[in-house]
Amino acid sequence: PHSPHPPLLPSSPLPLLQLWGAITQDVAGKQMTELADLAASGVVGFADGRNLENLGLVRRVLEYLQHAGKPIAFWCCDRLIMSNGVMREGQDSIRLGLPGNPAISETAALASVLELVAAIGTPVHIMRVSTARSVELIASAKSQGLPVTASTTWMHLLLDTKVIKSYNTNLRLEPPLGNPSDLKALRAGVRMGIVDAIAIDHTPHTYEEKVQAFAEALPGAIGLELALPLLWHYLVESGEFTALELWKALSNRPAECLGQKMSAIVKSEKAELTLFNPQESWKVNRENLYTLSSNTPWLGQQLTGRVVQTWC
């Protein structure tokens, strides 16, 4: 009988895990881990996956890891400026009656990190870029020769604050979806290479964690099986991106940001490949998803385009 799932699992054994080290103990943002020991033990990079409020700590991290030769990833967000904001501040947040998270919660923190990079010279990767002003700051930093790379998430390239009128809690993200001007700037930034990579930021939640009022729901959405079909449909088929521009932002440019080498496609050698059928139609439901969670605003919708096979 026909399986409801395509064979997404790799056709060859998975490679050895590449582990990242936490920047701070218990990922609490207060005290550095033993960075030198972690670097010597073989971790491939450092990140907490959350914002670091203490700029003095960020400075020491950059100084300690200056010569480690491993990527360091930061999410720039000032929680004090963010306050209780749950969507990007603007006309839509006022209209919908939801607490606004101002763009400066991101850009103020980003500007501070970029100043530290300029002073110390340690390469960094900026995760979860979500505002037009952030794109400007990163472009300026790169024009000055600062060792900075950046990524945004796939949902920030497809949706903006207009869609939150549905109050669908699967649109509750951190950072929040941007205003229309942010979406436009992010797309242009990816095409120009200012924003180097598109990240999935796959964040599964249970049904109970999302069946809340919008402001109370935990932030995040799944995306591993959905990002490519939707990005292809809205960016490539629309003619805004070429297929090559999208593939680069999803493959070799992310690898470069993480200090990884792309394996060449050579006969009889292992390769990392994805087979994508842009014409296959399928419905997003719990039975058709490999992930055990279904927190996505596309649940129940019919999509065109699906990953058929992966090799690694």
Side-chain angles (χ1 to χ4, degrees), residues 284-300:
V284 181
N285 56 42
R286 291 177 179 85
E287 293 73 28
N288 282 344
L289 291 169
Y290 272 103
T291 177
L292 298 179
S293 297
S294 55
N295 53 304
T296 171
W298 284 277
L299 188 67

Side-chain angles (χ1 to χ4, degrees), residues 134-237:
S134 294
V135 176
E136 293 178 359
L137 290 171
I138 293 165
S140 176
K142 288 188 171 186
S143 70
Q144 298 171 43
L146 297 189
V148 174
T149 59
S151 59
T152 189
T153 86
W154 69 287
M155 288 184 67
H156 287 84
L157 293 174
L158 297 182
L159 305 173
D160 59 34
T161 52
K162 299 295 182 186
V163 301
I164 298 177
K165 65 183 180 182
S166 68
Y167 293 96
N168 186 329
T169 56
N170 293 314
L171 298 169
R172 165 90 162 91
L173 307 175
E174 280 192 1
L177 292 172
N179 291 307
S181 59
D182 297 316
L183 183 148
K184 182 178 179 180
L186 289 169
R187 288 185 178 184
V190 172
R191 289 199 65 195
M192 297 169 64
I194 297 168
V195 178
D196 301 84
I198 301 172
I200 308 306
D201 205 18
H202 180 83
T203 309
H205 286 300
T206 65
Y207 175 81
E208 291 76 16
E209 288 169 334
K210 281 296 189 177
V211 183
Q212 307 282 342
F214 189 92
E216 302 300 323
L218 292 179
I222 61 171
L224 287 176
E225 300 168 64
L226 305 171
L228 181 53
L230 287 160
L231 288 168
W232 185 275
H233 177 73
Y234 285 101
L235 299 184
V236 177
E237 290 187 353

Side-chain angles (χ1 to χ4, degrees), residues 20 23 46-47 52 58-59 61-63 65-66 69-76 109-118 120-127 129 138 141-142 145-151 194 196 256-259:
W20 280 60
I23 293 174
F46 293 92
L52 292 179
V58 175
R59 175 188 176 183
V61 169
L62 294 180
E63 290 172 342
L65 294 175
Q66 188 170 16
K70 298 179 185 293
I72 312 165
F74 292 112
W75 172 28
C76 296
L110 173 59
S112 298
V113 170
L114 293 177
E115 283 292 299
L116 290 172
V117 173
I120 300 168
T122 306
V124 301
H125 177 75
I126 306 298
M127 304 184 291
V129 174
I138 293 165
K142 288 188 171 186
L146 297 189
V148 174
T149 59
S151 59
I194 297 168
D196 301 84
E256 291 167 2
C257 293
L258 301 179

